[in-house]
Structure formats: structure tokens, C-alpha cells
Amino acid sequence: MHSSQFDRDTAVTLRAPGVYDTALSADWTIFGVVNGGYLLALLGRGLGEALPHPHPFTVSAHYLAPSLPGPAEIRTETVRAGRTLSTGQASLYQRDEDGAEVERIRVVATYGDLDALSDDVRTSAKPPAIPPYENCFGPSDAPAPLPGSAEIARLLDIKLDPETIGWAVGAPSGKGEVRGWFGLADGREPCPLSLLLTVDALPPTAFDLGLSGWTPTVELTTHIRCRPAPGPLRVSITTRNLAGGFLEEDAEVWDSADRLVAQSRQLARAPKSR
């Protein structure tokens, strides 16, 4: 039933009304900690099961503590169920070494039906200018393993714009930009749920600012704008302000039909190394 690892690893099992059992896979880790986009998709799956509408429209997550591979529980609550939109919240819990329950992430989200949206589009946004896929570079093209990418990189098909990958060879541009092509390595086509992973799957812009190390997300809000067309996605992430040890990341995701399918902004803690 679940042919893609993404689907298998975001599967949830209903245990009680609004309560789901799941397991966080070690394959989605960066620096040993579970990736925030994967966690967002996992809670998005749980909310999609609990709410009457099928697709995430806006999802806001607060990351309260690092999530680790292993068993987890998702508890959902329906806040409001309307005719066209429904809103709910969900929290993911794990046990610490002493067996105490720890809330790792809390989400508030509004769901609707993307297929029922109008075709009216008025936009000044343009897809990012990224060279063709074959002229971009992935982890296997780097002279040395990219920082923290060993596990999750195997599941992703990412090819980065050469203009934004100087940090991989010790020459970051300092602009705080990362652009590239994105897909799942097993060929699974994008969907509204997988877009929650996409917005947080590229290397952090902190690398392009000359920093290295884990860049933990504090808060991440994602807007899903339409159902993505089949084919590779183009992702652009920028940071304009790093101050006080924190930075923002603004992401745009474009599909093969040149439509803006997802947007996000997150606040993250900057790596301490320089």
C-alpha cells in the first residue's frame, strides 16, 4: 500500500479518537536529529486523518524540543469544522530516557480542498532562475560529504544551483541564498503533504552565510497554495537578517507547470560555529 518510503515513514495508526501511534525514522535525520520538514509532514498526515477536509492550507509549527528516532504519539484536536475549511491542532510526544513524556512539536493548521479552489491567479511572483537539472550539483558531486547530510540525503533527489553552493567548497557567498531542484529519490511524485517536507529539506541558508552545524527550527509556517503538478520542484530559500543568534528563512516552491505551490517562513537558531 505504501510504495514510497515517505509514505511508509509518515504513516500513522489510530489508537483512540484523535490519537495516533507512529515511529520517527532515523533515515530522516540531520546531525542525528529528525528533520523538521519530515516532522511537519508526519503531523500533517495525522491532522489529515482527523479533520474533515483533505489538504493542508496553512500549517504553523512550534518546535519545542529536538525529536529523536523512535516511537511517538500524535494527539489531535478539531478546533473548528466549517463547510470549506477546518482547523485543528496536533502535538507529537515521545518518552525521554527516564520514561517521562515530552512534547516535541505543536502544530495549528487549517485544512481545505485544493481541488475546489478557483483558477483565478494574479501574481507578480516568478519562478527562481535555476540552471537545468543536469547543470546543478547534488551531495554525490561534492568533494567531501556535505555537513549533516548523510542520512536524509539518501532519500532526496536534490540538485543545487552552482551559484548557491560555494559553501560546499569553503567559499560561501554571504548572500544567504540556496536554490535547487527537489524530488524524492524513489521517484514519488509531489503532493500537498510532501510539500510540507520540501520547504525544509534543502541545506540551510546559514551555510551560505559561512556558518556550519545544526540550524534548529524554532517556528515554521507553511502555506500550500495548490496541488503540485507531477515532476521535479524548484525551491528557493533566502535569509535577509541574522541577528541575535537567530535567522529567518523564506522558501518558495514551484512546480513543473511554473506555479507557486508552497511558501514558508521559519525562524531558526543560527549555528554557533563560524
Side-chain angles (χ1 to χ4, degrees):
M1 180 179 178
H2 301 298
S3 58
S4 168
Q5 183 165 348
F6 173 80
D7 295 304
R8 294 192 300 271
D9 290 347
T10 57
V12 297
T13 301
L14 182 66
R15 177 160 53 85
V19 180
Y20 301 87
D21 290 324
T22 190
L24 307 187
S25 170
D27 290 336
W28 299 91
T29 55
I30 298 177
F31 295 106
V33 176
V34 179
N35 169 260
Y38 163 68
L39 289 171
L40 203 62
L42 184 60
L43 272 79
R45 177 88 70 186
L47 277 170
E49 296 282 341
L51 295 175
H53 292 93
H55 306 130
F57 273 31
T58 176
V59 182
S60 295
H62 286 263
Y63 294 79
L64 309 177
S67 298
L68 303 175
E73 179 182 282
I74 296 174
R75 300 176 193 165
T76 67
E77 176 187 349
T78 299
V79 177
R80 179 183 182 274
R83 187 169 59 87
T84 59
L85 296 173
S86 55
T87 298
Q89 61 182 12
S91 291
L92 184 141
Y93 295 87
Q94 290 186 301
R95 298 281 179 179
D96 64 16
E97 295 178 353
D98 298 324
E101 186 176 80
V102 179
E103 185 179 6
R104 305 291 196 189
I105 174 175
R106 183 177 296 191
V107 163
V108 176
T110 294
Y111 276 54
D113 185 355
L114 291 171
D115 298 325
L117 298 181
S118 76
D119 294 329
D120 184 23
V121 177
R122 312 178 196 193
T123 181
S124 61
K126 297 180 180 180
I130 300 175
Y133 176 92
E134 58 272 16
N135 295 337
C136 293
F137 297 93
S140 62
D141 302 310
L146 300 183
S149 66
E151 298 304 324
I152 194 173
R154 295 185 294 104
L155 305 182
L156 308 178
D157 182 12
I158 293 177
K159 293 287 186 177
L160 298 178
D161 185 335
E163 288 190 5
T164 68
I165 203 172
W167 52 267
V169 291
S173 75
K175 296 180 180 179
E177 299 177 347
V178 176
R179 295 185 298 273
W181 297 91
F182 177 88
L184 292 171
D186 61 13
R188 183 196 188 279
E189 295 290 1
C191 73
L193 189 69
S194 71
L195 293 176
L196 298 177
L197 163 70
T198 305
V199 298
D200 193 42
L202 266 61
T205 54
F207 290 179
D208 192 47
L209 294 174
L211 305 176
S212 62
W214 183 40
T215 308
T217 303
V218 177
E219 187 271 347
L220 170 60
T221 294
T222 303
H223 297 162
I224 306 300
R225 305 304 304 271
C226 63
R227 182 189 291 276
L233 300 166
R234 284 160 293 171
V235 184
S236 172
I237 307 178
T238 59
T239 289
R240 298 177 58 202
N241 190 56
L242 188 159
F246 293 86
L247 57 89
E248 90 290 342
E249 286 194 342
D250 291 317
E252 291 186 351
V253 182
W254 295 77
D255 71 0
S256 59
D258 284 346
R259 297 177 305 167
L260 181 60
V261 295
Q263 300 164 281
S264 74
R265 166 167 279 195
Q266 71 169 279
L267 182 69
R269 188 183 295 274
K272 295 180 180 180
S273 62
R274 296 186 178 274

